[in-house]
Amino acid sequence: MSMTIGKKSTGERAFDLLNVVFLSLFAFTAVYPFINVIVVSFSTPAAANQYGLKLWPQETTLEAYKIVFSNKMIWTGYANTIFRAVLGTAMNVLFTVLCAYPLAKRYLPHRSGYTTFIVFTMFFSGGLIPNYLLIKELGLLDNRLSLILPGLIAAFTMIVVRNFFMSLPEEIEESAKIDGAHDIRILFFIVLPVSMPIIATISLWYAVSHWNAWFDSLLFIQSPDKAVLGNVLRKIIIEGSPQFQEYDNYDPAKPQNLVTPDIIRAATIMVATTPILCVYPFIQKYFVKGVMIGSLKG
């Protein structure tokens, strides 16, 4: 009697092959638009205007990046976005932790009511006009704090952090209280050091949200020197920056035309998205662990 345990049948091997082919094609369709932007940003106008798949630059040039980095708007947007991402993420994480920690305690009076009230805000909000009027009455128009304070605590993120805190052994905190530690000391010196997976996860969420945000800046910020990178990117891609008007008329017969508006837009997209992409490898090991543990308890 032959043993066939562990050996795949022909049908199973065919299914695995189809799975690999289908998922590879699906992954390619998701990644290719980004690859196309990279290739176009490094290409000459003649190469960028060619038909067909663009998987690598045929004629490489850095002219578009030189033009983008010479634009003062890019550097101003970078400075404002970095300021917003750093300060905003730090405040988001701090206040999310301060809100989630007490709600993780079963002895907190009316804990379910507080949690229900916070979850309610995930489904219903005041709307665009009331939010604008609120920011105006608070005197935060054209103030960088208007980009941080309205979204100081994300309800969903707070629930995830609360669930993570509920999964921690209560004996750790009880032993600290016996030694005379108060709640603030327990939180910052005992709970947070063992909660780095969830802290890294929500830091990534908040940082990406701040880096990509642009609509609130469009509403609340009027000064060009306070515009974030998303608004600068929008101005260049959709509206067209006045500094790039000279590149609008591309003539293939003139070799001195080294770029086109499309190439400049591609280079601008790469300049805007590359920094936040570089963050992922450093905290990827915490990401999955933090999300899975934070979703165990409700």
Side-chain angles (χ1 to χ4, degrees), residues 211-231:
W211 190 271
N212 292 333
W214 61 272
F215 188 66
D216 51 356
S217 176
L218 183 67
L219 291 177
F220 306 137
I221 302 297
Q222 287 84 37
S223 302
D225 60 336
K226 297 179 181 178
V228 297
L229 190 59
N231 288 103

Side-chain angles (χ1 to χ4, degrees), residues 93-106:
V93 173
L94 174 62
F95 283 91
T96 299
V97 168
L98 293 178
C99 179
Y101 182 68
L103 290 177
K105 304 305 170 187
R106 294 181 175 84

Side-chain angles (χ1 to χ4, degrees), residues 54 192 209 221:
K54 299 180 178 67
L192 289 186
S209 176
I221 302 297

Side-chain angles (χ1 to χ4, degrees), residues 26-57:
F26 181 79
F28 178 77
T29 59
V31 175
Y32 176 72
F34 187 72
I35 296 176
N36 182 72
V37 172
I38 296 176
V39 172
V40 171
S41 69
F42 284 103
S43 299
T44 60
N49 290 332
Q50 291 179 353
Y51 291 102
L53 293 176
K54 299 180 178 67
L55 299 178
W56 56 82

Side-chain angles (χ1 to χ4, degrees), residues 101-228:
Y101 182 68
L103 290 177
K105 304 305 170 187
R106 294 181 175 84
Y107 55 79
L108 178 70
H110 311 295
R111 184 185 69 149
S112 298
Y114 296 141
T115 304
T116 302
F117 180 78
I118 294 173
V119 171
F120 180 84
T121 64
M122 295 173 57
F123 305 99
F124 301 95
S125 65
L128 182 60
I129 295 178
N131 285 337
Y132 180 85
L133 295 176
L134 176 63
I135 296 298
K136 180 180 179 180
E137 293 300 321
L138 292 175
L140 293 177
L141 286 181
D142 206 26
N143 190 321
R144 291 185 178 90
L145 290 178
S146 64
L147 309 179
I148 299 175
L149 295 181
L152 199 58
I153 299 177
F156 173 78
T157 304
M158 191 281 299
I159 296 298
V160 172
V161 178
R162 186 204 68 153
N163 294 346
F164 183 92
F165 288 155
M166 291 175 62
S167 68
L168 297 177
E170 297 181 358
E171 292 79 7
I172 299 177
E173 299 181 37
E174 292 174 355
S175 61
K177 288 182 179 180
I178 293 176
D179 293 335
H182 50 75
D183 290 330
I184 298 297
R185 185 177 182 85
I186 293 174
L187 172 61
F188 285 96
F189 292 95
I190 297 178
V191 175
L192 289 186
V194 299
S195 303
M196 289 311 299
I198 197 65
I199 297 301
T201 300
I202 67 172
S203 297
L204 175 64
W205 289 352
Y206 281 127
V208 172
S209 176
H210 282 298
W211 190 271
N212 292 333
W214 61 272
F215 188 66
D216 51 356
S217 176
L218 183 67
L219 291 177
F220 306 137
I221 302 297
Q222 287 84 37
S223 302
D225 60 336
K226 297 179 181 178
V228 297

